Amino acid sequence: MMMIDTAELTKTYNGRGGCRGITLQVPEGCIFGLLGPNGAGKSTFVKMLAGLHRPDSGRATVLGQPLGRPEARRKLGYLPELFRFQDWLTPAEVLRFHGQLGGLRPQETRAPAFRSRVRDTLELVGLSDAADRRVGGFSKGMQQRLGLAAALLLDPELVILDEPASALDPVGRYEIRSLLKRLRGRGVTIFLNTHLLEDVEELCDEAAFLYGGELLASGPLHKLLSGTGDSEGNGANWRFRLGGWLPETRAELNDALGGALSSLLRLVEADDDGNALLTARVSDREQAGYLCSLFIRSGLTLYESGPEPNSLEAWFLRMAGSRQGGVPQ
Amino acid sequence: MTMYISATFKELTRKRVFLVSLILTFVFLVLFAFGVRELTGMAGQNQVSPAERLMNSLVLMVLGLFFSQFLAAFFVLFSAMGIVTGEQENGLLLAVAARPIPRWKLYLAKWLGHAVWITVYSTALFVSVVWTIHIQAGFPILADEMLRGLGLFLWMPLLLLTITMLGSVYLPMLGNGICSALLYGFALFSGLVEGVSSYGGPHPALEKFFLLTGLLLPTDSVYRRSLFELMGGADWAGMAISDMGPFSITSVPSNTFLLYTVGYAAVLLLLGCRAFSRKDL
């Protein structure tokens, strides 16, 4: 069963921003990462899944239930991005409150079994020592851990986490990553919206990339990253750091390349001192070598040349860059 | 629901404005009791007649309850003006609204939670003022009149709560507070003008204006009916409060109008539930 299944899901704010026509599926038991730069529409999409925003059009199911229905949220744990709990409550009281909101009767939340569950959940997120302190005195990281505890309290089948590690220190982030891996081991599906690429790289089985409100790529992470070429650099993106770059160099290179290769070359950055960084997607190493010789013949200084690192960061930058144009336009 | 009533109480008691309201209310009640004692003492020295003593107690009651309804209204405005957008802005609503509970239930629970504590506060205020005047100025209290008066006195802030909550779905906290206060002030001002205008005889245009104002926000009309009931209805009220300048009650809202206010509150609550259910948080 698909835990999340959306088709052409659209939400805009007076025709601007938001996200448009998002179609993606999240299979059961995986960790799915949602990536994209700021303003890509990730939070809008996540809020629709959590039932906080109403879509303008399209359809979606969460845990097999139509979006927005309370039934869809019964087995869903959600950690919002910018949230707060009542300052005057203790973590145990917050969890009791959320237990009742989740459908437990008041007497059930007073039972020893629930108290034990609260203790276990607080221990899981590393808040056992602060169980009796008021939330008002918590650091942002502790609030984040408590939010995670509230999301995990009722044994959800699907957990949607919106920037779960944004306020955590490196130790906290490591602990959360370990926790998410354990949850996946228990069969919990995790939908992760994050800016931390290393988290996605280490945790996610699948990912999607949003840009400007549109879904640019989606699928198993290894397939998405396979586009960065093999270990020899064949079929990869190559980068060239050059000197002596002038505004007219772009046109000269276009003329020299004259066709197929020119559309592969992209100017990433250039400064007034003539330094430039170019990338090109090449089919093999010989093609990269030809470009190097062409640069030298054109009077440019070649400082550096090689395949881009085979990382999520490179993929992310390329995906974002593909919408910003290159050489030639 | 009980969970939310309890949570709302905890939330209210943590707000600094709640503590300030309670302290100021206490100060008001002490000063009021002191003032009533001084005034009745002066009246005692002048050996007034029982009828005059009764009239004086009626006037004190009008003034006491006028300021009490003012306090109750401000209690409502300060506690409820940010119920939805305020909690949305500070992030409290996000984790709550994602839980498997229909939004309309959340809205009604919040209304109920505030309504319970507004009722407790307003009852304490009403009983304190009435009891003070009864003890010190000899105002006669009949149980059924007092209960009718209390019921309507409580209905006024609940109406204001309903419209303030609806506003909080659409407007930011401060904007909603200002709008609700202006609406309440407008209704109050119309009531005062109506009292003054009664001296010049009937003005059809003005009467229509007052009726429309009452229909728009019926808080002042309900307060006037509350006063009317507390003072023994037509038997006594007409004696004292038809000749009190801005505080005069020239016309008393009918039972039909009271029914209208029930429908008014029900419609506003329904609109609030609907708007909150459709709101993007």
Side-chain angles (χ1 to χ4, degrees):
Chain A
M1 181 180 98
M2 289 296 164
M3 302 301 269
I4 297 172
D5 190 354
T6 73
E8 295 295 319
L9 203 60
T10 298
K11 172 75 187 179
T12 58
Y13 306 100
N14 298 321
R16 289 198 300 267
C19 54
R20 291 177 294 281
I22 309 295
T23 300
L24 63 78
Q25 286 79 38
V26 177
E28 192 173 356
C30 81
I31 302 186
F32 192 101
L34 184 64
L35 293 166
N38 289 335
K42 303 190 300 295
S43 289
T44 301
F45 183 69
V46 166
K47 282 185 171 180
M48 280 194 283
L49 296 180
L52 298 175
H53 277 194
R54 287 165 63 92
D56 295 338
S57 61
R59 59 179 177 78
T61 58
V62 172
L63 290 155
Q65 296 285 340
L67 209 58
R69 291 230 184 122
E71 293 80 21
R73 303 198 292 263
R74 206 167 291 284
K75 283 287 172 187
L76 169 73
Y78 171 59
L79 172 71
E81 184 182 4
L82 299 168
F83 71 98
R84 203 165 65 85
F85 290 122
Q86 286 85 348
D87 290 347
W88 53 90
L89 297 178
T90 63
E93 288 169 337
V94 167
L95 295 188
R96 185 166 166 247
F97 182 59
H98 277 261
Q100 291 184 27
L101 285 172
L104 297 178
R105 290 194 296 274
Q107 57 268 35
E108 285 179 297
T109 61
R110 283 192 289 269
F114 184 78
R115 288 183 185 178
S116 165
R117 183 190 289 191
V118 166
R119 270 197 304 276
D120 292 345
T121 311
L122 289 176
E123 195 177 336
L124 196 67
V125 297
L127 278 180
S128 297
D129 295 340
D132 299 321
R133 282 169 53 187
R134 300 278 169 203
V135 173
F138 275 20
S139 67
K140 186 118 183 3
M142 290 168 84
Q143 290 251 14
Q144 197 82 352
R145 286 164 187 265
L146 183 56
L148 197 56
L152 300 176
L153 179 71
L154 299 174
D155 291 332
E157 291 173 12
L158 170 66
V159 181
I160 297 178
L161 305 173
D162 202 348
E163 301 289 355
S166 59
L168 300 176
D169 56 26
V171 176
R173 279 165 52 190
Y174 172 77
E175 286 171 359
I176 296 300
R177 277 205 294 266
S178 305
L179 170 63
L180 296 183
K181 283 178 190 170
R182 266 181 291 164
L183 288 173
R184 175 171 52 188
R186 279 160 40 182
V188 177
T189 308
I190 297 163
F191 188 90
L192 193 63
N193 176 25
T194 180
H195 277 108
L196 300 173
L197 299 179
E198 61 268 36
D199 284 358
V200 175
E201 214 157 20
E202 189 178 333
L203 293 169
C204 292
D205 307 297
E206 298 203 14
F209 187 87
L210 284 187
Y211 187 91
E214 292 175 16
L215 183 69
L216 296 192
S218 169
L221 196 61
H222 67 274
K223 280 193 179 169
L224 295 173
L225 290 178
S226 66
T228 54
D230 62 19
S231 58
E232 295 291 307
N234 294 319
N237 253 26
W238 277 60
R239 51 197 284 147
F240 307 94
R241 200 166 285 284
L242 304 168
W245 184 268
L246 298 169
E248 57 270 24
T249 310
R250 175 186 288 189
E252 290 169 15
L253 285 175
N254 277 348
D255 292 341
L257 287 166
L261 272 180
S262 65
S263 62
L264 303 177
L265 202 56
R266 193 171 71 81
L267 176 64
V268 177
E269 61 187 32
D271 62 23
D272 295 338
D273 296 330
N275 298 309
L277 174 66
L278 277 74
T279 61
R281 185 164 178 77
V282 297
S283 57
D284 50 45
R285 290 162 63 88
E286 283 67 33
Q287 222 171 34
Y290 172 74
L291 285 173
C292 288
S293 67
L294 176 69
F295 294 143
I296 292 167
R297 283 204 310 273
S298 304
L300 298 166
T301 308
L302 181 63
Y303 291 121
E304 183 190 327
S305 162
E308 283 190 307
N310 190 7
S311 68
L312 187 61
E313 184 179 40
W315 179 77
F316 185 99
L317 291 173
R318 198 172 64 252
M319 292 300 292
S322 68
R323 284 298 174 111
Q324 294 169 354
V327 176
Q329 297 296 319
Chain B
M1 287 289 181
T2 48
M3 168 190 70
Y4 240 97
I5 292 169
S6 152
T8 305
F9 176 65
K10 282 185 178 169
E11 193 172 335
L12 275 176
T13 52
R14 259 66 179 191
K15 283 181 180 170
R16 205 162 288 169
V17 68
F18 178 79
L19 189 66
V20 171
S21 297
L22 284 188
I23 292 170
L24 288 180
T25 303
F26 181 73
V27 171
F28 162 73
L29 289 173
V30 169
L31 288 177
F32 182 72
F34 179 75
V36 169
R37 198 187 71 174
E38 290 301 306
L39 283 171
T40 50
M42 282 165 59
Q45 284 166 5
N46 296 337
Q47 297 295 311
V48 296
S49 67
E52 212 170 334
R53 185 173 148 83
L54 175 65
M55 291 294 279
N56 287 343
S57 70
L58 289 173
V59 170
L60 286 171
M61 186 64 79
V62 170
L63 293 176
L65 287 183
F66 180 80
F67 285 104
S68 298
Q69 60 119 2
F70 214 68
L71 284 175
F74 273 90
F75 184 82
V76 172
L77 291 173
F78 284 125
S79 61
M81 65 186 186
I83 286 182
V84 176
T85 38
E87 289 196 5
Q88 183 190 356
E89 283 161 16
N90 64 28
L92 276 173
L93 260 183
L94 291 179
V96 172
R99 290 289 176 193
I101 178 168
R103 291 259 193 105
W104 65 266
K105 271 192 184 173
L106 269 182
Y107 189 84
L108 281 186
K110 279 179 171 290
W111 185 89
L112 202 60
H114 278 80
V116 166
W117 300 112
I118 285 166
T119 302
V120 169
Y121 173 82
S122 302
T123 303
L125 199 57
F126 181 89
V127 170
S128 303
V129 168
V130 172
W131 183 77
T132 300
I133 297 174
H134 169 67
I135 294 292
Q136 301 207 28
F139 177 78
I141 294 180
L142 294 174
D144 60 330
E145 288 170 1
M146 179 156 162
L147 285 176
R148 281 201 303 272
L150 173 64
L152 289 163
F153 185 83
L154 297 178
W155 187 227
M156 186 280 293
L158 294 181
L159 279 171
L160 190 60
L161 168 69
T162 312
I163 198 163
T164 305
M165 253 188 92
L166 176 64
S168 84
V169 179
Y170 295 103
L171 299 169
M173 191 165 93
L174 191 60
N176 183 42
I178 291 170
C179 275
S180 301
L182 281 176
L183 260 179
Y184 168 73
F186 184 58
L188 192 72
F189 177 72
S190 293
L192 295 176
V193 172
E194 189 180 3
V196 175
S197 68
S198 64
Y199 288 102
H203 298 280
L206 272 179
E207 279 170 6
K208 273 185 192 162
F209 173 76
F210 298 138
L211 176 69
L212 285 174
T213 310
L215 290 174
L216 184 65
L217 187 64
T219 49
D220 193 66
S221 307
V222 170
Y223 160 71
R224 281 163 185 268
R225 177 68 188 259
S226 155
L227 209 53
F228 179 78
E229 293 295 337
L230 178 70
M231 294 188 168
D235 296 339
W236 292 102
M239 287 172 63
I241 47 185
S242 61
D243 192 25
M244 281 191 64
F247 301 106
S248 303
I249 297 178
T250 52
S251 63
V252 178
S254 63
N255 289 340
T256 312
F257 185 85
L258 292 182
L259 270 177
Y260 161 78
T261 65
V262 174
Y264 175 92
V267 168
L268 290 193
L269 264 179
L270 280 173
L271 285 176
C273 288
R274 188 170 177 271
F276 185 57
S277 298
R278 291 163 171 260
K279 186 175 176 63
D280 289 333
L281 297 175

